[in-house]
Amino acid sequence: DLATGKLTLPLMLLLEKLPPAERAELADSLREGRPLGLAAKVERMRELGIADGVIAAIDRELAQAAAALAPFAALTPTPLMLALGGVLQGQVAALRNR
């Protein structure tokens, strides 16, 4: 995300949590396609707990997906989709433990 300047969830959360001056600097860099100073931004993401925010968002989305699929439990694809959600939950759990 930082290397390519793509506006993804971690980068959006970083923009939300940065103080105004840092936010403006990062937004200008993204708009103008300037290098972001990758190492410094990754460290700043750690300081601000961005990974925790991403994990929480994924957990919320997975819970919403499971609830939305519940009425369709008898349909053949539903258990497969729920299993896929379980795989993603496992990956998120691994991130949480890093």
Side-chain angles (χ1 to χ4, degrees):
D1 305 343
L2 290 172
T4 62
K6 284 190 239 172
L7 195 56
T8 58
L9 182 57
L11 194 48
M12 288 187 285
L13 291 174
L14 179 62
L15 283 165
E16 284 180 3
K17 289 190 172 196
L18 285 174
E22 282 183 79
R23 181 181 314 125
E25 179 185 333
L26 178 56
D28 288 345
S29 293
L30 288 168
R31 260 192 301 278
E32 296 168 11
R34 290 187 312 217
L36 299 177
L38 188 57
K41 294 299 183 257
V42 168
E43 181 57 32
R44 198 69 172 112
M45 290 176 108
R46 280 192 195 102
E47 292 170 3
L48 294 171
I50 300 302
D52 293 336
V54 171
I55 289 169
I58 292 170
D59 286 341
R60 284 191 304 274
E61 291 290 328
L62 288 172
Q64 289 176 336
L69 288 171
F72 307 101
L75 298 176
T76 303
T78 303
L80 297 172
M81 288 189 278
L82 290 171
L84 183 57
V87 169
L88 185 51
Q89 283 175 323
Q91 292 174 335
V92 170
L95 287 175
R96 193 176 282 118
N97 296 327
R98 289 174 92 185

